[in-house]
Every structure is written in structure tokens, then in C-alpha cells.
Amino acid sequence: MAFVTKARISLILLLCLVDRNGCERTGPFNPAEALVKAKNAAAGKLGPDVKTFNVLDYGAKANGKTDSSINFIRTFKAACNFRGNAMMVIPKGDFLIGPIIFQGPCFNPSSLIIQANGIVKAQADLSYFTGGADDTDWITFQSINGLILSGTGTFHGQGAKAWKYNDCAHKSHCVRLAANFKFNKVNDAIINGINSIDPKGFHIMVTVCRNFRLLNLKLQAPGDSPNTDGIHISKSTVVKIAHCVIGTGDDCVSMIHGSIDISVNKVICGPGHGFSVGSLGHYDDEADVNKIVVTNSSLTDTTNGVRIKTYKTDSPSKASSIFFTDLVMNRVKNPIIIDQEYGNRRSTQTSKVSISDVRFVNIKGTSISKVAVQFLCSKSNPCEGIQMNNIDLQYVGPPRDQQPFESNCTNAKVSYVGLQNPPPCR
């Protein structure tokens, strides 16, 4: 397909062809200051010291029909190479682009700002996304220190036509479809205010990142859209998610191997599969997971509430210091669950992932399952240090037999404090 091939040409550009030390942002990252900049950018209140780079000035067409991939890349290249404070602007209008990579590092002395107010749509045809690793995802940010992506813009993945090709429900080693956003090796970043709709795969991937904030986002896809995780985190440290609304077809937030010091605060989740640590134990030599906090959030009509899940494999790792606190469940199917038989329950193998120091505190609401709390832990590595503190869930599912509203625990060492509804495991 000649047009597709042409659209891919030069979509990844190396921006620093000189000494890389000249590309580093100067001075420490100040999150509060960066957030002010993000808000000022959204309000059009940046000072004259910030040079703007508008995609229209680099040939992008706001007609929703002409592929503007090259024009977006050229705009980013100019802003990233500018040796002063810079802002790339995606104005109001309809834009169409294929898979692109915004490749750093950049020369700017402060965080590069990307102000997005338009509607950006992905090419719907999957043939655009079959060029190997570089074309796996839609919009990739890579190797950037200091990034502010802000605005009221919408990024539409046009995933509905692609979902039928997703086979991850039947294969443990499937080929995932394109994420709307992938952030790889992006440090000191704020993503604020944007909207993501109907990705082919995940909405947002954060991998090998440090000091990363996702704020005031709205991520939407149908509840039956396959593997459309909202925010998927791996091999990253100090990631803060707050004030987001996520309704999608898979986990609202998923945190897999190498996730350290992650906080999820004031997030509205539903529909979807809830907040998940895992899957873990899927790959060899996985890094540990610890310091996870999910708090002050709500879940409505989700398949799961808060979940830790691991595969039954020989891949050893640890998941510890995981806190789920002050949560409200509304008609959730499996409100509280640890599942160490994920993926292959028939296998006689046991999970080698060790789970410890997990706290469920001040969780209330309603369950549509008679088993509202289930800890199915590994026989070879029992869950240790599981604490249940003030759990108040009520059954609101359809009337059924005389099965009690209950908790089930296997190979788990659990302690209880305060109110417990359903009753503790026997």
C-alpha cells in the first residue's frame, strides 16, 4: 500500500546529532511550577519568552482528511531543537495522523510544552501499525527530560474497527494493538487535561519513566472493548495519577513489573476492570513492585474493584507495600481480590510471586457477587501481612440460593481490624 508506506517515511527523527550534553534540560524539575505552566498554557497566558510552534505553520491540515503525520513531526522537531523555552501548538480543528514518534532529547532549557486543543484522529486502518516496534503505537514520546502535554484536546484512536482483531483473550503471548499514547524514557513530565477516546489498545502506556504526573484526564472506551487499559505502568518510579475519569474495557489503572512509588488519587473508574496490580510473573526476570497507593477513588459497575493478579509461572518477584484505602464500590462484581492463579487455573504449577504487606482500609459500597473478598494465594508462596481494616460492603446482586455473603481465603495470612462485612475468612 504505497500511501501507507509514504505516511511512515521519516516518522522517527533523531533530534540531537551533536553532543548529547547540550540537549539536557537545565535545573531541577519543579512539579508545582510545571503545573502552573500547564494551566497558563491552557489559558493562553504564557509570557513572551516562550516561542510557539503551530502545526498549521508546518503544513498540517485541519480538515480531518489529510494525513498530517509529517507536519506534526516537523513541528515537534523545530520546538524540541529550539534553544529557548518552546511550546508546540495543536490548535482547534480536526487532524488526522498515523503512528508517529516524538523523539528526544530536546535542547529547551525548561520543559517542552505541547498545547493540544484540537481533535486528533488516528488512521483507522491497522495496516498503518504493522511496521515493527516503531509503528506499534500511535503517538510515542521517547527519551525526553521535561515535558508538559496539556490542553482540552481529544485524541481519538478510532479503535472500533480494530478490536475484532484483538486475540489477547485467547493467547497469553498475543500481539497488542496500538496504544493512543506511549511514554518511554520520559522523565519529569505532566500530562494534564486531555481526552483519549477509543484506542485500538491501551489509552496510555508509561514505561521506564520517572517523576511522571497524569492529571485531570478523561479516558473513554466501551466497556466491552478488549484490552483498552486506561493507564498502564511498567518499570517506572514516582508516578502520580489524580483527578481522572476513566471508563474503558479493561483495567482503569494497571501497574505491572517494576512499578515503584505509584499513587492513584481521586480517580473515578467505570466501566472497566478496576484498579489492578499485575499481571505479575508473566515474563522472566521481572522487577519487583512496591509502594503502591490507591486512595480516595470510586468504582462503578466494574468487573473488579481492587485486584492483585499473578501468573502460575516459575518467574520469581515480590509485590509489597500495597495500600488500597478510602474507596467506594458501586455494584462491583469482585470488590477485593488477590488472584495468584490468573491465566491458567488448570496448571499444577504455583506462582513464584511473593505478595506481602497489603492493606485494604476503609472500603465501602456494594457488591453484585456473594463472594466480595477473595484471596486465592500461591501454595508455595502464601500471601503474608494482609490487613483488612473497616470493610463495609453490602450485597445488591440478584436474589440467589442460600449462599452467604462471604469472604474466601486460600493460602493467605490475614488480620482484621474494625468492621468486617462480609465476615472475615474462617
Side-chain angles (χ1 to χ4, degrees):
M1 191 175 190
F3 178 72
V4 175
T5 302
K6 183 178 180 181
R8 287 190 186 133
I9 295 175
S10 299
L11 290 187
I12 175 169
L13 301 176
L14 297 177
L15 302 180
C16 290
L17 301 179
V18 296
D19 181 6
R20 291 173 63 93
N21 291 331
C23 300
E24 296 298 321
R25 176 177 51 83
T26 59
F29 179 69
N30 186 320
E33 180 181 291
L35 184 56
V36 170
K37 281 188 177 181
K39 292 179 179 178
N40 287 342
K45 295 180 179 179
L46 288 175
D49 64 319
V50 179
K51 181 175 175 61
T52 60
F53 297 80
N54 193 310
V55 296
L56 295 177
D57 296 333
Y58 290 81
K61 304 299 182 183
N63 58 21
K65 298 179 181 179
T66 304
D67 190 296
S68 295
S69 302
I70 295 294
N71 314 96
F72 272 56
I73 285 287
R74 288 172 178 165
T75 310
F76 177 83
K77 179 182 177 181
C80 184
N81 280 338
F82 183 64
R83 294 180 179 272
N85 298 322
M87 178 170 70
M88 175 180 171
V89 176
I90 304 171
K92 291 183 178 179
D94 292 348
F95 299 91
L96 177 69
I97 62 174
I100 61 176
I101 295 180
F102 293 142
Q103 175 77 40
C106 294
F107 288 95
N108 318 111
S110 63
S111 298
L112 174 64
I113 301 171
I114 299 179
Q115 179 64 21
N117 291 328
I119 298 173
V120 184
K121 292 184 178 180
Q123 290 284 1
D125 191 337
L126 272 182
S127 64
Y128 281 81
F129 300 87
T130 58
D134 291 343
D135 287 344
T136 297
D137 298 296
W138 180 28
I139 301 173
T140 298
F141 291 86
Q142 187 161 285
S143 301
I144 300 173
N145 290 331
L147 175 69
I148 297 172
L149 172 58
S150 182
T152 58
T154 296
F155 293 84
H156 199 304
Q158 301 208 89
K161 293 182 179 180
W163 293 331
K164 63 184 177 182
Y165 299 107
N166 184 300
D167 59 358
C168 291
H170 309 290
K171 296 181 179 179
S172 60
H173 295 283
C174 61
V175 177
R176 65 176 181 82
L177 300 183
N180 271 6
F181 290 97
K182 181 179 179 179
F183 298 93
N184 180 38
K185 299 179 182 178
V186 177
N187 303 321
D188 301 338
I190 288 181
I191 315 303
N192 180 65
I194 62 171
N195 306 286
S196 171
I197 296 177
D198 288 2
K200 295 174 176 65
F202 303 150
H203 287 271
I204 297 174
M205 290 183 67
V206 178
T207 185
V208 198
C209 295
R210 184 188 72 250
N211 203 8
F212 202 102
R213 286 160 173 76
L214 302 111
L215 310 172
N216 305 300
L217 307 181
K218 190 170 185 179
L219 314 180
Q220 294 179 293
D224 60 354
S225 55
N227 293 102
T228 53
D229 291 39
I231 300 171
H232 183 78
I233 303 168
S234 66
K235 296 179 282 189
S236 298
T237 60
V238 192
V239 178
K240 299 183 183 299
I241 303 166
H243 302 283
C244 296
V245 178
I246 305 174
T248 193
D250 210 302
D251 297 328
C252 289
V253 179
S254 54
M255 297 156 278
I256 64 170
H257 55 92
S259 296
I260 298 174
D261 198 356
I262 314 296
S263 85
V264 179
N265 183 31
K266 296 182 178 178
V267 171
I268 298 172
C269 170
H273 292 182
F275 301 118
S276 182
V277 177
S279 305
L280 306 178
H282 198 187
Y283 307 101
D284 293 334
D285 301 319
E286 287 189 356
D288 295 343
V289 171
N290 61 50
K291 296 183 181 177
I292 307 294
V293 177
V294 178
T295 188
N296 296 316
S297 297
S298 66
L299 304 100
T300 300
D301 297 324
T302 54
T303 304
N304 302 292
V306 290
R307 174 172 58 157
I308 302 173
K309 54 180 178 174
T310 76
Y311 280 94
K312 298 171 73 174
T313 67
D314 285 328
S315 301
S317 63
K318 297 178 182 179
S320 60
S321 298
I322 301 170
F323 306 143
F324 300 106
T325 71
D326 299 297
L327 304 175
V328 177
M329 311 273 184
N330 299 302
R331 301 179 301 278
V332 172
K333 186 175 181 180
N334 301 298
I336 298 173
I337 181 171
I338 297 177
D339 182 2
Q340 292 206 263
E341 295 188 356
Y342 184 76
N344 189 1
R345 300 193 187 282
R346 295 181 180 180
S347 172
T348 58
Q349 200 168 21
T350 60
S351 175
K352 296 300 188 294
V353 179
S354 298
I355 297 174
S356 64
D357 189 19
V358 182
R359 303 179 194 179
F360 302 91
V361 181
N362 296 333
I363 297 177
K364 62 182 180 180
T366 55
S367 168
I368 62 170
S369 170
K370 283 290 187 77
V371 181
V373 176
Q374 178 157 291
F375 298 142
L376 185 58
C377 296
S378 170
K379 184 177 181 180
S380 60
N381 289 285
C383 299
E384 296 187 350
I386 311 300
Q387 184 182 110
M388 304 287 284
N389 189 335
N390 289 328
I391 308 300
D392 188 10
L393 298 169
Q394 308 293 326
Y395 177 70
V396 294
R400 298 176 67 177
D401 51 37
Q402 299 302 310
Q403 177 186 358
F405 188 50
E406 63 182 349
S407 304
N408 285 344
C409 302
T410 303
N411 303 318
K413 298 179 181 179
V414 188
S415 64
Y416 297 91
V417 177
L419 178 66
Q420 299 295 325
N421 192 32
C425 292
R426 299 174 182 177

